[in-house]
Amino acid sequence: MSLRAKILKKLPLAVAVLPLALLGMFVTAVVPSGWAYAVCAAVGYVAEPGAMKRVTGRMQPLPRVGLSVAAASALRGASALVLLARAGEGESGAFVLAVVGFLAVQALRLGYAGLLLYVWWCRRLPAVTRNVDLSALRIPDAPPRWLMDLHRGPLTFVDLPLVAGAAVAAEAGARWAAGGAGAAVLAGLLALVLLAVPAWRSRHLASKGRVLSAVRAQVQEYEPEVVVYFSGNLQSAYQLNGWLPVLERTRRRVVIVLREREMLPRLDVTTRPVVCLPLGKDLAAFELPSARVALFAANAANNTHLLRMPQFRSVYIGHGDSDKPTSFNPFTKVYDEVWVAGPEGRERYARSGVGVADADIVEVGRPSLWPVATTTAAAPQPTVLYAPTWEGFHGDEGAATSLITMGPALVRSLLARQPRIRLLYRPHPLTGTLDRRAKAAHDEILALIKAANGGVGEDDAGLERLAAQLEALRQPGGDEAQAARDSAGPAADWDTVFAAWQDAYWADDTRHRVTAGSRPGLYDCFNHADVLIADVSGVVTDFLAADKPYAVTNPAGLDPDVFRGRYPAAASGHLLGPDLVGLEDFLDRAGSAPDPLAAERAQLRARLLGSAEADPLAPFERALDALLRRAAG
């Protein structure tokens, strides 16, 4: 396929047709031909970008003010006036009325755009929340989506009466032009009135100081003891989502503070108060006198906005414990304490020499591991979980992703194995964001899995129905203001629907699966897998809690002794190089009993994850209690 053909294939047909239709309207207006003009106008209306598309999704972060539609409308109106003038009606009173109507329609469109921006401004809260009572703000329902979009709203075809009147007038008399212009003006006025109603009802939300005061008062009434702070790009939401189950279980009062409002829709369900404060000045003014400890799940530039507040004892808790360089980032020395899982985390910082004092390191285990079971769900065939990491930017060739060098070949070997296995493929959420080769390998693996499933994808009507219910419970409808208002309490039916979704997802245990995100979660995949194949990452460390065989990829083909010395988590696992030598032997031995590496895994688990306790949350709670006592003193 030629480059020109590829470009044309990607362009919507309307993009090419609309300019031709507008040109045709001017040509037929000059001729003049009312009927030909009407045909060109009809084609243009149908081709209007987005005009015939079904309205989906939420209100845009910034309202689409419809500049392209306004330009097309102005051109259509101008062509209507040209048609009337060429048809000999230029001296008539009806022509003057048509001109006035044309100008009035453009003014109404401009006024509508201004009012739309006002509504958007009023409803764009300076502090967006979840699980916070905002009844004091009296937030009205969001305006209908079609009303907030000039591309597909009530003004999309407001010039239709004017254009139609001109077309008829060219054949049957000027009076039709005046009538069409009047109808267009009335339609524009009606649209303006429709939008004026939500503008009036939302006007009090324009007082941003009042909104911030109401949110702050509600959060202060909750008297939070701990702030969990998070900032980052939208793909990094998984880093905070991994901590939400822990925050649900801790007995301390926790408030979650976000900085990017677009992060809220990506947050998993929680009953803890969530406050998003996009502006640094609003964060600085958001006083929480009862809170003394701030936990940070990731290193981000915006972290400094909270770190400079002296009332908080800052703790870096990270979002995974692994042998990657990201687990001993030099930036972590800015925190008062760094919490790691086990003794290996402490030694990791000592070896790296990045400046984190040993006295500032606290071992808290991995409090999120309580859902991990040491037995596998019964299945007719062994299940292999392949969980490659992303391409990253740390420059460590040994800890690189296996996707690029060996991913598709590994999946082909697993799918071709006899006796057959069941494959769970779980790519990293950031896969393909830095390297196109990783994205290409990922897409190839998806195609391989779909082919192995007989051409059947992940689509399932029952799962889709349950997923839609979960989404409706997780994310209230309307714009962000309405969603904040309606999320004052937890989703009552969430646990029931989520359990039903999980049962339905795992019911067909003969199919290979592509798993991602929080449904199903990583630990749920652990519980349904017999063995793990993963890159150097926190996935390997956490899998030690399952006490099952695992293999670590060695995509750079480093010497095995060097590899194990550099990455301690691989010590009790099988190594897989880019040639995949030993894969069959690993799978055969993984199903044997007794497990020859079980004792080594137990020792490594204590070293990486800390001493085993009945409740993995207990060491974390003790560390939090101790820090709160020191902060209070």
Side-chain angles (χ1 to χ4, degrees), residues 498-513:
F498 184 69
W501 184 92
Q502 281 188 309
D503 291 342
Y505 185 87
W506 296 112
D508 184 359
D509 53 16
T510 62
R511 289 176 57 188
H512 307 292
R513 291 285 189 180

Side-chain angles (χ1 to χ4, degrees), residues 353-414:
V354 296
V356 177
D358 185 73
D360 296 334
I361 297 176
V362 181
E363 297 174 26
V364 299
R366 285 286 287 157
S368 59
L369 293 178
W370 59 271
V372 178
T374 55
T375 56
T376 306
Q381 52 194 156
T383 299
V384 176
L385 171 61
Y386 174 43
T389 191
W390 71 307
E391 51 270 28
F393 46 79
H394 46 72
D396 188 339
E397 61 174 354
T401 180
S402 61
L403 270 178
I404 298 173
T405 56
M406 53 193 293
L410 173 61
V411 170
R412 284 193 193 91
S413 297
L414 292 173

Side-chain angles (χ1 to χ4, degrees), residues 174-262:
R175 66 183 184 278
W176 291 97
V185 172
L186 288 176
L189 286 172
L190 177 61
L192 206 60
V193 170
L194 288 175
L195 187 58
V197 173
W200 176 260
R201 296 180 62 199
S202 301
R203 70 191 186 283
H204 61 286
L205 298 178
S207 176
K208 304 307 179 185
R210 179 190 174 195
V211 172
L212 282 169
S213 296
V215 174
R216 183 170 59 246
Q218 283 297 315
V219 177
Q220 287 179 348
E221 185 177 336
Y222 172 67
E223 295 185 342
E225 302 166 278
V226 179
V227 170
V228 176
Y229 181 95
F230 188 77
S231 177
N233 61 50
L234 300 185
Q235 289 78 19
S236 64
Y238 74 93
Q239 297 171 351
L240 176 59
N241 283 333
W243 279 102
L244 292 184
V246 176
L247 303 180
E248 287 292 302
R249 297 184 69 225
T250 182
R251 66 180 182 277
R252 294 295 183 174
R253 293 185 300 278
V254 174
V255 62
I256 300 169
V257 175
L258 306 178
R259 298 303 306 282
E260 292 78 24
R261 63 177 73 237
E262 295 83 4

Side-chain angles (χ1 to χ4, degrees), residues 434-449:
L434 289 181
D435 195 322
R436 294 180 181 177
R437 295 174 300 168
K439 179 64 166 60
H442 168 72
D443 291 341
E444 185 177 352
I445 289 174
L446 296 184
L448 289 170
I449 292 175

Side-chain angles (χ1 to χ4, degrees), residues 144-166:
R145 289 190 294 266
W146 59 268
L147 199 60
M148 293 295 293
D149 191 344
L150 279 179
H151 280 294
R152 295 171 290 200
L155 293 189
T156 302
F157 298 137
V158 71
D159 53 27
L160 176 58
L162 175 63
V163 171

Side-chain angles (χ1 to χ4, degrees), residues 50-99:
M52 306 305 289
K53 293 180 181 178
R54 186 165 62 92
V55 180
T56 57
R58 298 181 177 275
M59 192 174 77
Q60 301 294 322
L62 183 67
R64 300 167 59 181
V65 295
L67 294 179
S68 62
V69 172
S73 175
L75 290 173
R76 279 194 292 260
S79 70
L81 298 180
V82 172
L83 175 63
L84 289 173
R86 291 290 297 160
E89 304 294 343
E91 301 296 329
S92 67
F95 179 78
V96 175
L97 291 176
V99 172

